[in-house]
């Protein structure tokens, strides 16, 4: 059989099989709608076959059963070497030439095309549709990072929360947050945190009937996270009224702030505040008609500083301050030394449960998390210098060493320096290694640890970050000069570029890395939060005159009590002293097992001396008895 005859038969097969939408076979899985038929008729016909084939006119001869897309005369003859022919209009239907010269049709696969599939992309998007699409793209690009690390809310609403009028479902508007509509998401995060905060939940359950904080009006300035929310709701369950602001402009979890506002808390905070917003939020917490605080819970000392500066008369009714950070405690000691501390203060930062757990174990895990989320850096083989070998520095160094990094340490205190050496780290001055290190981490609680001179000498691509509470450790202000270019890379990650092209990677603008760029382990924050709650109970219920205008440490009994509340999580079983052993050691069988000066032994680099704690007030003694602690 000649090639021309074969080609003519193939064209006949094509004519037999091809039909328009209105003549679809009855076995078609989808029956076209009238809208689709209209669209198909109005849609211009596409060229068929290869680029060399000419488009054919539809047949209009009378007596034809259907309007063919091709006619034999118009079809381009295939090459003699062709063994099969595909019709693109029929979803891959093919005709094959058999060995005996006959033409056979191969089975065809029919695609399902929904009626509105073509129309979806032919329609011009409406104004609302374009905005929705823009929001979807923005959301997807933001969601590639953690919500804790997002620089701003993923919404396209750039209106400042200060310019919004928001109310919760009960009509209360005494708050200022990013978006009250995120409350449901925040509530779920708080519920997750509750599962990892056993001591605080136990304290809430055991003491809420007694209401040891009834009448307390607590103004707080801490990181507003799911863990802080559990603390705030515990204080409320124990009888306190709370007003809260954030102690860091980047650490607020917007959805958690929304959940707190929905729950009736007066919260003034959102992620990405400006410096002006930061102080405005603190002022809104303090300066409110008909409400005056009588307790302060601070983290960093900014709230205490603001009240001293703007509303000093408030201290006449304030019973005490509870402070949890190195920076804030340092400020309290300065006030005490100058004779300006006019209320008792409880130093939670130097409690054993804070120093040995929050500062050490929390930072050991969160330093890696923060660096990974922001830079995707590989730690193996990297040279890292950690400035400061206190509990935070110890945690950071241990984590980085375990990941294969080469770690150097700078330290001013000979005792901490010796500890670093015996832990296997090389003690250096920053100037000695600044040109060669890949990562610089500060965790001293001091100021100007890394200055412009150091920054100028760093290698290209060096990562610079801070693990201390305050943003004073890195001299970021010296980088805001005309000759240097700032380039935002991603959320909380900036390139600072020198005129010669060298650049460093600055994280969170020198602010606290872990809470600004990632999250922290909930369980270890349960320890600190429980200690804060007990310190508030102690100061609020103590009779007048028990505590003087000085800085105090929480009694060791409370440290041990906090630790004991967390042991059941690990199914841990304490060994009990026998009477003979207790007598030999000169201890009570139920503790405390450490002397009150034990905290001083771990405060080797603070240079301060806290006042020894007074005996516990009856409220705490009763609480201990209620919880089985004698």
């Amino acid at each position: 059989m000649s090639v021309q005859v074969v080609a003519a038969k193939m064209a006949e097969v094509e004519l037999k099989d091809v039909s328009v939408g209105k003549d679809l076979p009855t076995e078609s899985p989808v029956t076209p709608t009238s809208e689709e038929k209209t669209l198909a008729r109005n849609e211009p016909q596409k060229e068929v076959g290869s680029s060399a084939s000419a488009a054919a006119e539809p047949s209009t001869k009378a007596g034809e059963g259907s309007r063919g897309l091709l006619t034999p005369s118009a079809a381009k003859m295939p090459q003699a070497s062709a063994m099969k022919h595909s019709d693109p209009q029929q979803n891959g239907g093919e005709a094959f030439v058999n060995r005996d010269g006959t033409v056979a049709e191969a089975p065809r696969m029919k695609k399902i095309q929904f009626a509105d599939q073509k129309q979806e992309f032919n329609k011009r998007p409406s104004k609302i549709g374009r905005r929705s699409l823009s929001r979807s793209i923005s959301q997807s690009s933001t969601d590639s990072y953690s919500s804790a690390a997002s620089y701003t809310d993923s919404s396209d609403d750039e209106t400042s929360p200060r310019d919004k009028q928001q109310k919760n479902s009960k009509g209360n508007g005494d708050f200022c947050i990013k978006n009250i509509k995120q409350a449901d998401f925040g509530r779920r995060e708080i519920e997750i945190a509750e599962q990892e905060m056993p001591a605080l939940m136990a304290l809430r359950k055991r003491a809420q009937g007694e209401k040891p904080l009834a009448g307390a009006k607590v103004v707080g300035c801490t990181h507003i996270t799911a863990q802080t929310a559990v603390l705030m709701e515990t204080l409320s369950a124990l009888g306190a009224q709370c007003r809260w602001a954030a102690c860091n402009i980047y650490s607020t979890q917007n959805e958690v702030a929304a959940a707190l506002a929905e729950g009736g808390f007066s919260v003034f905070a959102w992620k990405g505040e400006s410096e002006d917003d930061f102080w405005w939020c603190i002022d809104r917490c303090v300066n409110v008609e008909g409400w005056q605080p009588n307790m302060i819970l601070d983290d960093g000392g900014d709230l205490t500083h603001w009240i001293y500066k703007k509303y000093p008369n408030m201290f006449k009714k304030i019973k005490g301050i509870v402070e949890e950070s190195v920076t804030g405690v340092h400020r309290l000691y300065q006030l005490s030394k100058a004779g300006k501390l006019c209320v008792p203060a409880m130093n939670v930062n130097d409690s054993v449960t804070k120093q040995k757990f929050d500062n050490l174990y929390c930072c050991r895990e969160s330093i890696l998390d923060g660096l990974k989320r922001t830079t995707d850096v590989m730690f193996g083989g990297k040279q890292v210098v950690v400035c400061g070998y206190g509990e935070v520095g110890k945690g950071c160094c241990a984590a980085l060493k375990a990941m294969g990094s080469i770690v150097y340490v700078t330290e001013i205190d000979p005792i901490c320096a010796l500890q670093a050496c015996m832990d296997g780290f090389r003690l250096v001055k920053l100037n000695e290694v600044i040109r060669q290190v890949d990562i610089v981490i500060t965790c001293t609680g001091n100021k100007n640890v890394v200055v412009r001179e150091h920054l100028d000498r760093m290698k290209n691509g060096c990562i610079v970050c801070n693990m201390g509470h305050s943003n004073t450790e890195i001299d970021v202000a010296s980088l805001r000069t005309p000759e240097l270019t700032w380039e935002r890379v991603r959320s909380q990650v900036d390139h600072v570029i020198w005129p010669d092209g060298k650049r460093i990677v600055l994280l969170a603008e020198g602010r606290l890395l872990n809470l600004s760029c990632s999250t922290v382990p909930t369980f270890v924050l349960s320890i600190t939060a429980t200690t804060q709650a007990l310190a508030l109970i102690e100061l609020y219920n103590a009779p007048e005159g028990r505590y003087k205008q000085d800085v105090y440490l929480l009694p060791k009994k409370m440290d041990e009590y906090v630790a004991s509340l967390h042991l059941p999580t690990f199914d841990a079983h304490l060994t009990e002293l026998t009477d003979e052993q207790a007598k030999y050691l000169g201890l009570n069988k139920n503790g405390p097992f450490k002397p009150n000066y034990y905290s001083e032994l771990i405060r080797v680099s603070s240079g301060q001396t806290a006042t020894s704690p007074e005996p516990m007030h009856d409220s705490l003694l009763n609480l201990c008895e209620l919880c089985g602690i004698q």
Side-chain angles (χ1 to χ4, degrees), residues 198-199 523 560-575:
F523 183 83
E560 294 174 2
Y561 168 55
V562 171
S564 69
L565 288 176
H566 289 84
L567 289 176
T569 303
F570 303 99
D571 192 25
H573 306 278
L574 282 172
T575 300

Side-chain angles (χ1 to χ4, degrees), residues 103-153:
V103 179
E105 180 186 1
R108 290 172 296 150
M109 301 297 293
K110 293 182 174 61
K111 286 186 179 180
I112 298 176
Q113 184 174 21
F114 294 99
D116 60 347
Q117 185 174 344
K118 292 182 180 178
Q119 301 173 39
E120 182 71 27
F121 294 98
N122 289 335
K123 291 181 179 179
R124 183 177 180 86
S126 65
K127 186 174 182 181
I128 295 176
R130 287 195 300 271
R131 187 161 60 245
S132 300
L133 179 61
S134 173
R135 184 181 293 111
S136 298
I137 295 172
S138 173
Q139 181 71 43
S140 64
S141 63
T142 317
D143 286 349
S144 60
Y145 309 110
S146 162
S147 63
S150 59
Y151 180 64
T152 57
D153 186 73

Side-chain angles (χ1 to χ4, degrees), residues 346-483:
M346 197 68 78
N347 173 5
V348 169
N349 180 73
D350 293 315
S351 296
V352 178
T353 45
K354 172 69 163 58
Q355 281 278 347
K356 289 295 186 182
F357 296 94
D358 193 336
N359 292 11
L360 176 63
Y361 297 111
C362 175
C363 296
R364 190 174 71 180
E365 296 194 16
S366 60
I367 179 62
L368 302 179
D369 187 19
L371 286 170
K372 279 287 188 184
R373 293 199 198 197
T374 50
T375 66
D376 304 313
V377 65
M378 182 173 180
F379 298 109
K382 291 292 191 299
Q383 297 191 57
V384 185
V385 60
V386 177
C387 301
Y389 202 67
E391 298 302 320
V392 173
K394 288 179 175 68
C396 293
C397 288
L400 292 163
K401 181 180 180 181
M403 295 300 292
S405 298
I406 302 166
V407 183
Y408 304 96
V409 172
T410 71
E411 181 54 69
I412 61 169
D413 188 295
I415 297 176
C416 290
L418 183 59
Q419 285 180 308
C421 292
M422 297 189 70
D423 286 337
F425 301 108
R426 184 181 169 193
L427 190 74
V428 298
K429 291 184 177 180
L430 187 57
N431 285 330
E432 298 171 359
V433 296
I434 196 63
R435 289 185 181 274
Q436 68 194 58
V437 293
D438 302 291
I439 305 174
V440 177
I441 303 170
T442 58
C443 43
T444 66
N446 206 338
K447 66 178 293 186
N448 293 337
V449 177
V450 176
V451 295
R452 179 62 185 269
E453 178 188 354
H454 299 125
L455 296 162
D456 286 337
R457 296 174 60 198
M458 289 177 182
K459 66 191 293 186
N460 183 50
C462 183
I463 299 170
V464 186
C465 63
N466 170 46
M467 282 291 285
H469 176 85
S470 177
N471 63 337
T472 59
E473 302 201 32
I474 302 168
D475 187 10
V476 176
S478 69
L479 297 175
R480 301 190 185 278
T481 55
E483 73 272 12

